[in-house]
Amino acid sequence: QLQASGGGLVQAGGSLRLSCATTGLSFSRYDMGWFRQAPGKEREFVAVISDNGRTTYYADSVKGRFTISRDNTKNTVYLQMNSLKPEDTAVYYCVADRDYVGRASGGYDYWGRGTLVTVSS
């Protein structure tokens, strides 16, 4: 089970940190990622981190502003979001897969419930 938290309302230029705690998975063996879906838009890739934390990929739209990290001792993955923009407003979903570090939503076997991030202008 994946449980995302940390969403909320923030002004443009502000920061938020999302967390995703997992249970029932051998966390250190799973690649972890974040997707988001804005109102009226398709779900899109945000970031992914490999099981050992050595590899990360980001969507171009968040590169340089968002940072994905993980703590394998706490079975938790994080998404630090800085310099937030109104276009970052979306429901953010935590995802996991045993062996996939990519941008395709279909590559991930496990999805958590989302957490809403709203960025006001």
Side-chain angles (χ1 to χ4, degrees), residues 14-54:
S15 298
L16 280 176
R17 189 177 80 154
L18 305 183
S19 300
C20 176
T22 68
T23 57
L25 296 179
S26 298
F27 182 78
S28 63
R29 296 182 179 181
Y30 280 77
D31 304 315
M32 302 295 298
W34 293 93
F35 280 71
R36 68 185 182 185
Q37 187 166 19
K41 295 188 177 181
E42 293 188 355
R43 194 169 294 181
E44 64 174 355
F45 168 80
V46 176
V48 63
I49 186 166
S50 61
D51 54 4
N52 58 14
R54 293 175 183 171

Side-chain angles (χ1 to χ4, degrees), residues 1-5 18-36 44-59 67-80 92-105 107-113:
Q1 185 175 6
L2 283 65
Q3 182 63 54
S5 61
L18 305 183
S19 300
C20 176
T22 68
T23 57
L25 296 179
S26 298
F27 182 78
S28 63
R29 296 182 179 181
Y30 280 77
D31 304 315
M32 302 295 298
W34 293 93
F35 280 71
R36 68 185 182 185
E44 64 174 355
F45 168 80
V46 176
V48 63
I49 186 166
S50 61
D51 54 4
N52 58 14
R54 293 175 183 171
T55 301
T56 57
Y57 296 116
Y58 296 91
T67 302
I68 190 170
S69 62
R70 64 190 296 156
D71 186 339
N72 285 356
T73 67
K74 296 182 179 180
N75 294 346
T76 301
V77 62
Y78 304 98
L79 186 68
Q80 178 66 44
Y92 284 71
Y93 298 90
C94 177
V95 298
D97 195 82
R98 184 68 177 80
D99 188 21
Y100 183 71
V101 185
R103 301 169 185 264
S105 60
Y108 294 91
D109 285 339
Y110 297 95
W111 288 73
R113 292 187 178 181

